Amino acid sequence: MAFLEFKNVRIAGISAGVPRFIASNLHPLNDDGISSEYTPEAFVETTGVLERRLSDTLTTSDLCCAAAEKLIEELSWERGEIEALVFVSQTADYILPATACILQDRLGLSKECFAEDVALGCSGWVYGLSNIASLLANGSIKKALLLAGDAKKRAAGPRDPLFGHAGTATAIEYIEGNKGFQFHFGTDGSGFDAIITPDGGSRNQVSPASFELKQVDGKPMHRMQTRMKGMDVFSFGISTAPKSVKKLAEHFGFDYQEYDYFVFHQANMKMNKMIAKKLKLVDEKVPTCMYHFGNTSSASIPLTIVTQLKEKCEGKKFICCGFGVGLSWGTVTFETNNMVVSQLVEVADEEADKKYVV
């Protein structure tokens, strides 16, 4: 079973960046693909997503870079001390090189920096946290950044009104004697097509047919857009997330009810309420941000902490669980101690970095 524990590491800080532009689902944009089954009001009531932050210019790396700059400044970290950078996203700048390499240069980090991309979605922040914790646990690397999120799509087309854009930065450091992290992970690749972008990889290469719009579950979509089997994903989420929390608690011998906050991937309000109900959690312990930001993929857990818990984090015990595309899931526990939580960074379209455009 995929249980992991890494001691002597802690989260030093969390920040998040979003585009300034706010799109309301009550007043859909011309290219919003709300299913014909729903009125805008019914969509908001069903999903819990009123509005999202969007940009046609800013990439995930732009948003993550803005969040990281803010966090590095507030932590007073020397850039040369940051020896590892992990970038988690489904919307990398390029097929190659890895976006982490670009961010190493953008942030002015040492050329001795470990840098890698992780191509995961909704579970990605937890997976990325474990990657960095494993690098730091023996003390050979002392400080690292986890940059996670999703933003500008690979190809233009009708928007899915469930998804918003965000990039986050999480600073992790080696601290001798710190309790660290406990993880549980799982994967069910038999559900690989439950959330999928059919074309654009090497199996189904891009062709003119990739951009032909067809009706998929009442919405116009092409094969370069991500599509989802809603009921399959819903059933997966409400069963897997509570089981993962319980397995983690049982394996490491703690009572999860004693934890202060449970931050779940922000997929759908109805889904998260059912997960909380199965775990018998009170609403105060389960913060959400999807009402104002939608589903932001791997950014959703840190974005929720930044926007909902900034003044409430000190000395708290967290359980965070991400689940989705893959199908993949991961749950982590940690305790906070002098963790810096930055104000939300709002990024203007003109702040996209043109230096890295070829």
Side-chain angles (χ1 to χ4, degrees), residues 19 55 58-61 63 89 91 149-154 164-167:
S55 172
L58 296 166
T59 65
T60 309
S61 66
L63 298 175
S89 183
T91 47
D150 273 304
K152 186 179 177 183
K153 299 179 293 184
R154 291 186 179 90
H165 297 172

Side-chain angles (χ1 to χ4, degrees), residues 91-137:
T91 47
D93 281 10
Y94 300 100
I95 293 175
L96 55 87
T99 305
C101 298
I102 296 172
L103 285 164
Q104 171 272 328
D105 184 60
R106 286 186 68 170
L107 292 169
L109 306 187
S110 166
K111 291 183 180 179
E112 300 295 319
C113 182
F114 173 103
E116 70 173 358
D117 280 11
V118 175
L120 279 173
C122 315
S123 63
W125 184 77
V126 181
Y127 273 84
L129 199 61
S130 73
N131 284 9
I132 285 185
S134 69
L135 294 172
L136 270 62

Side-chain angles (χ1 to χ4, degrees), residues 260-261 263 283-288 304-318 334-341:
D260 299 294
Y261 293 116
V263 186
D283 290 345
E284 291 74 16
K285 286 190 172 187
V286 190
T288 67
T304 300
I305 293 172
V306 167
T307 60
Q308 306 302 310
L309 299 174
K310 174 173 168 52
E311 307 299 335
K312 305 175 183 178
C313 284
E314 182 57 27
K316 301 300 183 182
K317 298 167 70 175
F318 279 76
F334 59 89
E335 298 181 16
T336 58
N337 178 24
N338 296 320
M339 183 175 77
V340 170
V341 181

